[in-house]
Amino acid sequence: MSTPAGFDARRLKAQERAGFNRIAARYAEGAHLRADLATALLDAADLAPGQTVLDLASGPGLLARDAAARIAPGGWVLASDIADGMLAEGARRTAAEGKSDALGFAAADAEHLCLPDASFDRVLAGLALFMFPHPQQALAEMRRVLRPGGRVALSVWGPREAVPLIARAQDCIARQLPPPKVARPSVFRFGDAAALTTALTDAGFADVRIAPCPFRCHFPDAESYWQAFLDLAGGAAEALSRLPEATQATLRAAVEADLASHRTEDGGYTVEALALVATARS
């Protein structure tokens, strides 16, 4: 998990912020595709009424909103993200649903949290750890803000070969476009359970437990799959949006060809994914 040569963490964070701000509304609308994973993460977190919870890389607060329902009455959830536009989208939706009493939103960098020590019972991070330029620093911050005996619960993508939901699109991009001048950290860098366990134990966590969470996503057509990938891709989606339309059309055609093995009887596509859900005590 070494850092790519020439890697610029500040540039990556700026790209991620811009990309996720761009897709805030669509990201929220795609929540149903990841509902099984969200439920598995919340179950693993062992939430209870009265707890205080920090949700890192919360985006539009989807996981945070569901967590708030589990810690009522008396609990409180703080949804944080580096992308302020995502948080604004979450705050708008939460207010419209009348569910904002136990849920707050605050822009924050997960590697540099402006929060006091030992202030939360639980820290959540759904599909986020692999996006942080310095994941060990983010894990150290998670442990710092947890109360003694508190619990972190996070999810990451599993091994690349088990996540065609992401890999199919990545393969097409790799074939059709030149390699980037500076490689981004792989979203699969914690896909091996042993690597994830080591990262958590090195950060000082104990009682590390990791469980696989397989799920499937159904798309009515190849265009819907491609759009769903873009709506998860953050900074990568920001870069792809700047490509000439002809290049984007070529990518869409390549994706449709690669999805042939996932075709279903209704003419759509069912694409599998495997995530790992990890918990540990501070």
Side-chain angles (χ1 to χ4, degrees), residues 196-257:
L196 183 55
T197 298
T198 297
L200 286 162
T201 54
D202 285 352
F205 286 100
D207 191 24
V208 177
R209 302 183 183 185
I210 298 176
C213 180
F215 63 101
R216 294 181 172 186
C217 299
H218 184 73
F219 304 99
D221 49 47
E223 182 65 29
S224 298
Y225 163 81
W226 178 242
Q227 186 62 60
F229 169 78
L230 294 177
D231 293 346
L232 280 172
E238 179 72 6
L240 290 168
S241 71
R242 299 171 184 169
L243 294 173
E245 177 53 39
T247 303
Q248 295 191 40
T250 298
L251 277 172
R252 290 193 294 269
V255 165
E256 184 169 10

Side-chain angles (χ1 to χ4, degrees), residues 3-168:
T3 303
F7 179 72
D8 185 337
R10 288 185 298 178
R11 179 179 175 83
L12 176 68
K13 289 179 181 181
Q15 289 175 336
E16 291 297 316
R17 183 185 294 113
F20 278 109
N21 280 338
R22 172 190 290 269
I23 63 175
R26 293 197 303 269
Y27 186 95
E29 290 162 5
H32 64 282
L33 295 171
R34 306 175 295 278
D36 289 347
L37 177 56
T39 297
L41 178 56
L42 292 172
D43 288 348
D46 190 27
L47 300 176
Q51 290 177 338
T52 53
V53 180
L54 172 63
D55 183 27
L56 290 175
S58 187
L62 305 174
L63 198 63
R65 180 194 60 194
D66 292 343
R70 297 195 183 203
I71 49 84
W76 186 71
V77 179
L78 177 63
S80 71
D81 200 286
I82 200 170
D84 51 348
M86 289 281 264
L87 295 173
E89 179 68 18
R92 182 188 68 77
R93 289 172 178 259
T94 302
E97 295 168 359
K99 298 179 179 179
S100 57
D101 289 348
L103 179 58
F105 295 85
D109 183 337
E111 297 178 359
H112 305 281
L113 295 172
C114 297
L115 296 167
D117 295 353
S119 51
F120 292 92
D121 299 302
R122 298 287 186 270
V123 172
L124 311 177
L127 295 177
L129 186 63
F130 49 77
M131 292 193 299
F132 302 144
H134 307 106
Q136 286 305 130
Q137 190 168 324
L139 287 171
E141 283 290 84
M142 294 181 206
R143 186 167 180 268
R144 180 183 66 78
V145 302
L146 275 170
R147 296 189 174 105
R151 182 184 300 226
V152 62
L154 58 86
S155 61
V156 297
W157 293 122
R160 191 179 195 280
E161 62 273 14
V163 195
L165 181 68
I166 303 298
R168 290 288 178 267

